[in-house]
Amino acid sequence: MSRVRGIGAALPERVVTNHDLEAIVDTTDEWIVGRTGIRERHIAGDGEFTSHLAERAARKALASAGCEPCEIDLIIVATATPDHTFPATAVVVQDLLGITGGVAFDVGAACSGFVFAMATADALISVGSARRALVIGAETFSRILDWDDRTTCVLFGDGAGAVVLESTADGADAGASKPRGVIAHAMRSDGSHRDKLYVDGGPSTTQTSGFLRMRGQEVFRFAVQATVDVVEDVFTRAGMTADDIDWFVPHQANKRIIDASARKLGIASEKVVLTVAEHGNTSAASIPLALDRAVSDGRIKQGDIVLLEALGGGFTWGAAIVRW
Ligand code: COA
């Protein structure tokens, strides 16, 4: 089993508001807020890469965990906007942190990436393949947006978040009636939906990095039911119900999707952590960014039961329950 020992986040300095976007595409603040809940997003500066945001978030997570980089033996970066096709962004982050041991690799599951990366790290730690991991969600989606397409460019932003996940085999929680740690996870994918949310380029197809394309209404329709299904699965695996949840930290794509999912799951709105208004959709970074916010402002405390959930291109979707 593994437990969260530290958390950190990083956002680019530059903030772009909906009003700023009104000057770029035919849109309005009222339309964007009404359909999505988004008011502003952070956009990476020139020369600011996914690995830079990931490194900043990782350093903060290490500091909050009281760990040195050399104590990390696994780095997983969830990203759909890597610095390069290869090496993995995780390897770049490993080097930026001065780590030369252990293993580092990327997970590609679009907006579900952080949940998938956390489940992967938990599984590797649980079988003894690693002791202490940095699990990072980091994106510069601004680089794959078509800034002439008002139906997509208003929705996304850049950022990174990271957690330090470590083995519970040290016995620190021994004897605790409710030990901290990752309790359960559930993951799904269905590639028959891959034409609904995708990037229209790639090294093997167009030799370009491409731009994000989306059939928004179809994504919306699928998202709510898929979210509910996978969360009900993770409840079953954990032997819990919605009543056991202290905090719901969903992927921050759209406030209407989050509200509808929480309502169907029977989770009270006061338990839902929302950052979509200030961050937009930061894909794999959105959950750790939201977690960091709720930990920093004192809402999420040690021992709280936290439900994570995401859906992304593929479709991929998943959920995890953690005793913080
Ligand atoms: N500003 C103003 N008008 C816009 C606009 C914008 N940024 N984007 C689209 N419109 C227009 C459309 O052109 C359309 O105009 P028309 O009726 O004259 O043809 C109208 O708004 C309605 O478009 P529609 O696509 O039907 O809107 P919608 O209610 O479905 O909302 C989304 C669009 C994208 C907000 C919504 O479908 C959504 O949130 N989908 C899920 C997206 C998501 O979360 N993706 C990430 C998952 S990880």
Side-chain angles (χ1 to χ4, degrees):
M1 195 171 171
S2 66
R3 74 166 94 76
V4 176
R5 177 158 157 181
I7 185 158
L11 289 160
E13 230 170 77
R14 184 173 164 222
V15 174
V16 174
T17 65
N18 292 347
H19 292 295
D20 295 330
L21 291 180
E22 289 173 359
I24 300 173
V25 285
D26 180 15
T27 192
T28 60
D29 174 58
E30 194 188 2
W31 190 95
I32 301 170
V33 173
R35 305 275 172 143
T36 71
I38 299 167
R39 294 182 183 277
E40 58 189 34
R41 70 287 291 141
H42 292 249
I43 299 291
D46 291 343
E48 190 171 34
F49 303 151
T50 295
S51 60
H52 299 143
L53 296 170
E55 181 205 0
R56 275 172 52 202
R59 286 194 187 279
K60 288 186 184 163
L62 287 167
S64 96
C67 286
E68 294 300 324
C70 62
E71 294 176 77
I72 297 296
D73 58 4
L74 171 66
I75 301 174
I76 307 181
V77 174
T79 188
T81 46
D83 288 14
H84 302 286
T85 301
F86 78 87
T89 300
V91 172
V92 180
V93 173
Q94 184 188 29
D95 183 45
L96 292 172
L97 294 173
I99 303 171
T100 53
V103 61
F105 58 90
D106 289 356
V107 160
C111 299
S112 308
F114 185 78
V115 171
F116 281 36
M118 192 138 162
T120 305
D122 177 58
L124 289 171
I125 289 171
S126 296
V127 297
S129 295
R131 274 194 64 76
R132 193 167 291 118
L134 268 170
V135 181
I136 306 169
E139 304 279 14
T140 46
F141 256 51
S142 60
R143 306 263 155 75
I144 55 163
L145 295 176
D146 174 351
W147 287 98
D148 292 326
D149 177 10
R150 68 175 182 171
T151 69
T152 54
C153 75
V154 303
L155 303 176
F156 295 88
D158 301 336
V163 297
V164 173
L165 205 62
E166 70 177 7
S167 170
T168 54
D170 58 9
D173 284 348
S177 62
K178 292 177 174 175
R180 299 171 54 219
V182 178
I183 294 170
H185 29 76
M187 291 178 284
R188 300 268 186 286
S189 60
D190 181 352
S192 67
H193 297 283
R194 67 195 160 93
D195 60 345
K196 297 187 176 109
L197 175 54
Y198 65 102
V199 172
D200 65 1
S204 180
T205 49
T206 58
Q207 296 85 55
T208 63
S209 50
F211 293 108
L212 183 145
R213 305 294 175 203
M214 182 174 73
R215 289 165 32 192
Q217 280 191 2
E218 291 174 57
V219 177
F220 196 106
R221 269 200 296 275
F222 189 87
V224 177
Q225 193 51 48
T227 297
V228 170
D229 288 347
V230 82
V231 168
E232 283 176 351
D233 183 6
V234 88
F235 279 159
T236 305
R237 288 168 193 254
M240 291 183 168
T241 69
D243 294 340
D244 296 307
I245 300 304
D246 295 306
W247 299 105
F248 179 35
V249 185
H251 170 47
Q252 309 282 318
N254 182 314
K255 187 171 183 303
R256 288 191 300 149
I257 294 177
I258 295 171
D259 289 347
S261 305
R263 205 167 37 245
K264 280 198 171 197
L265 286 163
I267 297 173
S269 56
E270 313 85 73
K271 294 182 175 182
V272 182
V273 176
L274 283 172
T275 51
V276 67
E278 301 87 36
H279 298 167
N281 181 349
T282 57
S283 187
S286 89
I287 288 178
L289 276 165
L291 276 171
D292 181 73
R293 165 80 63 87
V295 170
S296 305
D297 66 19
R299 276 179 289 172
I300 296 181
K301 297 181 207 59
Q302 270 198 17
D304 283 354
I305 299 289
V306 182
L307 168 67
L308 316 178
E309 162 280 318
L311 176 130
F315 289 129
T316 56
W317 63 109
I321 295 179
V322 179
R323 191 183 308 277
W324 199 259

